[in-house]
Amino acid sequence: MHIFAIANQKGGVGKTTTSVNLAAALAQAGQRTLLIDLDPQGNATMGSGIDKRTLPRSVYHVLLGLATLDEVCTVSPSGHYAVMPANRDLAGAEVELVDLEQRELRLKKALAEHVGNTDFVLIDCPPSLSMLTLNGLCAAHGVIIPMQCEYYALEGLSDLVNTIKQVHKNFNRDLKIIGLLRVMFDPRSTLSNQVSAQLEQHFGDKVFKTLVPRNVRLAEAPSYGVPGILFDKNAKGAQAYLAFAHEMIERAKTWETERRAT
Ligand code: ATP
Ligand code: MG
């Protein structure tokens, strides 16, 4: 089982779009996939075709120990992957977790109790370096960082990289940066290309080969509760996320070998 957090404390950089489309593309490629919505906004839940307003239980209950992950999980009717959904209840968890022991390890514990076979777990983190994101980072083997190739992107990146280093040092020795995914990419923009080249220079093969272009079909899909790769599978954005899933599956084979060796 590979567990990845999709994180970037910057808002609106494509975390949820990446989580939902990668989950759907992995599922389509025959991988058993679980998407965990760790954001009180519940966008990954809605984008998977699940109504966040009518949830009997959500990830909130799992983090507080009121339900198990398997009790709360449901299936995306449009994307055919499992979903641990979220809604506004989760905003309260931040405060309620403060009094609990090992509050940063609640999600990790819940995943350890997860029965059933899952190949990929994707955790859609909120736009902050909060206790929720910390739970995501503590539970994961690696982080996928979606980012836009714009001027301020690199600045925010160092905060995130430092947080990942801290979590690695203090809580989770498994954690590593799996890769940076360039999203909403505009190949005609000089700045996009410059920032993209800088990223490759600094992060080398940590930059995914797949580039996700800015594509309006990806932005339209959530309002239908359908992942973009299924909403219009021929659109450029959908094609990119399908390619990204295959890049992930290929890389997963290497991690598998690495982990067996250690
Ligand atoms: P938040 O920080 O609020 O959780 P996020 O990082 O999860 O945001 P998304 O919600 O995935 O970001 O994307 C932000 C907006 O950009 C959404 O309206 C989404 O539909 C749109 N968007 C994301 N990726 C693309 C793309 N490749 N092309 C066009 N629009 C996109
Ligand atoms: Mg989001």
Side-chain angles (χ1 to χ4, degrees):
M1 186 161 82
H2 301 288
I3 308 173
F4 300 127
I6 290 99
N8 190 330
Q9 79 279 19
K10 253 193 108 174
V13 294
K15 293 179 288 296
T16 302
T17 305
T18 298
S19 304
V20 168
N21 283 288
L22 180 58
L26 287 169
Q28 199 178 65
Q31 304 291 317
R32 292 158 299 188
T33 306
L34 164 63
L35 172 59
I36 296 177
D37 191 352
L38 209 51
D39 187 341
Q41 295 180 97
N43 293 343
T45 300
M46 295 295 277
S48 299
I50 298 159
D51 190 349
K52 66 179 179 185
R53 293 158 299 193
T54 58
L55 300 173
R57 281 179 299 198
S58 67
V59 64
Y60 165 84
H61 298 86
V62 175
L63 291 180
L64 288 177
L66 305 170
T68 67
L69 187 144
D70 294 294
E71 283 169 343
V72 170
C73 273
T74 165
V75 173
S76 163
S78 49
H80 311 293
Y81 47 88
V83 179
M84 181 149 86
N87 59 23
R88 289 179 56 182
D89 290 350
L90 189 55
E94 196 82 31
V95 180
E96 291 170 59
L97 280 170
V98 169
D99 295 328
L100 299 180
E101 251 175 72
Q102 296 194 302
R103 57 191 183 206
E104 62 285 320
L105 301 179
R106 310 293 295 190
L107 184 61
K108 186 188 173 82
K109 292 222 173 91
L111 271 166
E113 289 163 9
H114 167 52
V115 284
N117 296 315
T118 302
D119 299 309
F120 285 92
V121 178
L122 305 176
I123 307 169
D124 183 26
C125 294
S128 63
L129 296 172
S130 59
M131 185 53 63
L132 290 171
T133 298
L134 188 56
N135 262 273
L137 296 179
C138 286
H141 300 129
V143 190
I144 296 170
I145 307 173
M147 54 185 302
Q148 280 173 263
C149 290
E150 57 187 26
Y151 184 66
Y152 291 111
L154 290 167
E155 221 169 82
L157 204 54
S158 59
D159 290 337
L160 181 57
V161 170
N162 281 332
T163 302
I164 294 168
K165 279 189 188 148
Q166 287 298 320
V167 173
H168 178 267
K169 187 167 149 223
N170 297 311
F171 301 111
N172 180 4
R173 284 280 159 188
D174 287 337
L175 191 67
K176 55 174 182 273
I177 295 177
I178 296 293
L180 302 161
L181 178 66
R182 292 161 288 180
V183 298
M184 296 187 234
F185 192 76
D186 176 4
R188 289 163 306 181
S189 143
T190 311
L191 180 62
S192 280
N193 284 299
Q194 278 172 353
V195 174
S196 173
Q198 271 180 346
L199 278 180
E200 283 172 344
Q201 220 168 42
H202 279 81
F203 292 92
D205 60 6
K206 291 266 184 217
V207 181
F208 289 111
K209 291 202 178 59
T210 310
L211 275 162
V212 179
R214 188 173 283 284
N215 178 243
V216 68
R217 302 298 272 166
L218 286 174
E220 286 166 358
S223 60
Y224 298 88
V226 179
I229 65 137
L230 300 164
F231 180 64
D232 182 353
K233 67 178 190 324
N234 297 316
K236 284 219 166 74
Q239 293 293 321
Y241 276 114
L242 289 166
F244 180 47
H246 285 101
E247 195 178 348
M248 288 294 292
I249 292 168
E250 274 312 305
R251 288 201 184 197
K253 289 178 189 156
T254 336
W255 305 319
E256 207 70 73
T257 330
E258 277 173 14
R259 227 181 291 163
R260 268 198 219 112
T262 54

